[in-house]
Amino acid sequence: MDKTTDSFLTITGLWHLCMARWRWLVASVLFCLLIALNYLATTPFLYTRKAVVMVREETLGKSTTENNGAEFNDMGFVKQHSNVMNVIRHFTSLDVLIEVAHQLDSTLEGGYLVNKAVAIQSRLSANNDDPRSTIIDLTYRDRSTTEAERVLNAILQAYDERWLADK
């Protein structure tokens, strides 16, 4: 019978292999450290600002069965009639964000305005963590904390103005 040799690398074998080529190992580590330091030096910090919005449910116009079924919402028997998802879509819609972009910089027109709105949309997130809750968390990421606060305030103001106009 032929004996087959296992080409299995042990820890001591790996140690001897690395020490035989120690110059390459040191050069590789230094090169990777330089790349990491360059990345950290050139990448801007992104700050996160949050706003919490509570959506008030309109009780007018609901049928008595919907009002009576409110007690069963907590048990999961009756589906909650909520417009929270509509409000989330409204916050992140391009129409509202174009209005926000124009409010932030009134000199923008046409394609530049749309590009600014798309940039705002890419940094904005709106979440409702609990399906039974009417609270929405708006989060915006930017290099400047003051700019992030300006954007969130402009979004909330645009939403309020549209909500009042719909009333």
Side-chain angles (χ1 to χ4, degrees), residues 21-166:
R21 312 251 194 280
W22 70 271
R23 289 182 183 93
W24 282 104
L25 182 65
V26 170
S28 299
V29 169
L30 288 177
F31 182 71
C32 290
L33 282 174
L34 286 175
I35 289 175
L37 288 174
N38 183 41
Y39 174 77
L40 291 174
T42 58
T43 304
F45 291 112
L46 285 178
Y47 298 100
T48 302
R49 285 291 182 240
K50 286 188 172 189
V52 178
V53 180
M54 185 175 84
V55 179
R56 294 184 183 243
E57 294 295 323
E58 297 293 326
T59 55
L60 299 174
K62 287 187 177 182
S63 68
T64 56
T65 57
E66 288 176 331
N67 287 335
N68 291 340
E71 296 87 23
F72 294 107
N73 278 343
D74 292 334
M75 291 185 264
F77 294 132
V78 177
K79 183 179 177 185
Q80 180 181 12
H81 297 285
S82 173
N83 61 353
V84 173
M85 294 308 293
N86 293 338
V87 174
I88 288 175
R89 285 183 182 234
H90 186 78
F91 277 134
T92 59
S93 73
L94 202 55
D95 291 339
V96 172
L97 296 180
I98 286 173
E99 188 177 317
V100 168
H102 184 67
Q103 184 179 351
L104 293 173
D105 188 358
S106 60
T107 62
L108 294 176
E109 294 178 358
Y112 295 110
L113 192 61
V114 173
N115 288 343
K116 176 74 174 178
V118 169
I120 291 172
Q121 191 177 39
S122 68
R123 295 178 181 173
L124 177 69
S125 68
N127 296 327
N128 177 354
D129 295 332
D130 185 6
R132 294 179 292 160
S133 172
T134 61
I135 295 178
I136 298 173
D137 294 322
L138 285 176
T139 306
Y140 190 77
R141 296 180 58 168
D142 199 299
R143 287 183 260 161
S144 167
T145 56
T146 56
E147 183 65 20
E149 288 174 7
R150 281 185 63 215
V151 170
L152 284 175
N153 287 332
I155 290 171
L156 294 175
Q157 183 180 355
Y159 173 74
D160 286 343
E161 288 171 1
R162 284 183 172 223
W163 186 78
L164 288 174
D166 286 343

